[in-house]
Amino acid sequence: AIQNVLFSLLSPPSLLSLSREVEWQQHHHHPKGGRPNRLLLLLSSACRVHPLPRSPAMSRHPEIIWAQRSESVFLTVELPDAKNPKVKLDPDGKFIFSATAGPDDHLFELELELFDKVNVEASKINIGSRQIICFIQKQEKGWWERLLKAEGKPPHFIKVDWNKWVDEDEESGTAKFDNFDFGGMDDFSV
């Protein structure tokens, strides 16, 4: 019964690290010749009673780089050799991506809630062999405080595209991302 209570109080990563600590203590003698800590043994047995979920199909997140202008956001999904990429952009600012990549066809997916609403009809996308480039038109002109609606530090896989970044006060004359050719891009609505 105590095992079930302990399991419900600890997160799976905590249980996994505790289980590994017990394994280490069992294979390496305790410095003072003692035995592994009883609490660690109890927690380790809780891990065996409630095995940690291991899914080979668990998804990963691709790297995202982004820059903005007052009227648009330039978002690039860095995922070489993506297979079956699916990208969806909703007017409320929800960006959904999924694809498989790599020799083992790992699943990569993410769902981002962008800072504000977007104009899907005016937005463009280009799916290439090394990256998926998205030119997202903002619904209302203005600089976003950040890419995502949620405050705080962005996820580790989202980074600024410093090659395309321009500060708000330097925007005049560079509104089109340094004359990037959008002619070969497709509509999101297709």
Side-chain angles (χ1 to χ4, degrees):
I2 289 177
Q3 291 171 340
N4 292 335
V5 171
L6 289 173
F7 182 77
S8 68
L9 294 175
L10 293 172
S11 66
S14 299
L15 287 172
L16 182 60
S17 74
L18 287 171
S19 178
R20 287 183 179 148
E21 174 66 21
V22 169
E23 287 176 14
W24 184 87
Q25 285 188 15
Q26 288 173 339
H27 287 81
H28 300 84
H29 296 291
H30 191 272
K32 296 181 182 175
R35 296 185 190 156
N37 182 308
R38 289 189 60 136
L39 179 59
L40 289 177
L41 286 172
L42 184 60
L43 290 170
S44 176
S45 65
C47 288
R48 285 190 292 278
V49 170
H50 301 281
L52 297 173
R54 294 179 190 254
S55 171
M58 185 177 280
S59 69
R60 301 172 181 198
H61 300 294
E63 183 176 78
I64 303 291
I65 56 174
W66 76 287
Q68 71 171 317
R69 300 295 187 272
S70 61
E71 296 178 352
S72 55
V73 171
F74 198 85
L75 191 142
T76 304
V77 179
E78 298 281 346
L79 189 60
D81 303 320
K83 298 174 194 154
N84 302 317
K86 293 177 179 64
V87 183
K88 182 178 179 188
L89 181 65
D90 291 335
D92 62 353
K94 189 174 287 190
F95 178 86
I96 302 169
F97 172 83
S98 70
T100 57
D104 297 329
D105 285 334
H106 291 289
L107 176 63
F108 289 81
E109 58 186 357
L110 59 85
E111 185 173 317
L112 303 176
E113 192 170 345
L114 301 178
F115 186 78
D116 206 351
K117 294 180 180 181
V118 297
N119 182 342
V120 177
E121 289 76 28
S123 298
K124 304 282 185 185
I125 185 169
N126 184 354
I127 299 174
S129 62
R130 308 230 18 102
Q131 54 193 200
I132 291 87
I133 300 170
C134 305
F135 175 76
I136 301 172
Q137 192 72 35
K138 296 177 182 177
Q139 185 69 35
E140 295 181 20
K141 185 176 180 176
W143 282 77
W144 291 355
E145 296 174 28
R146 56 192 171 273
L147 177 64
L148 304 178
K149 186 172 282 191
E151 292 185 23
K153 186 176 179 183
H156 67 88
F157 55 87
I158 297 178
K159 297 174 176 43
V160 171
D161 187 346
W162 293 113
N163 292 328
K164 292 181 180 65
W165 190 266
V166 173
D167 288 331
E168 186 174 356
D169 58 347
E170 299 171 349
E171 180 180 21
S172 63
T174 59
K176 290 290 183 184
F177 287 100
D178 299 325
N179 299 320
F180 184 85
D181 180 20
F182 296 101
M185 298 184 82
D186 298 318
D187 295 333
F188 263 97
S189 55
V190 175

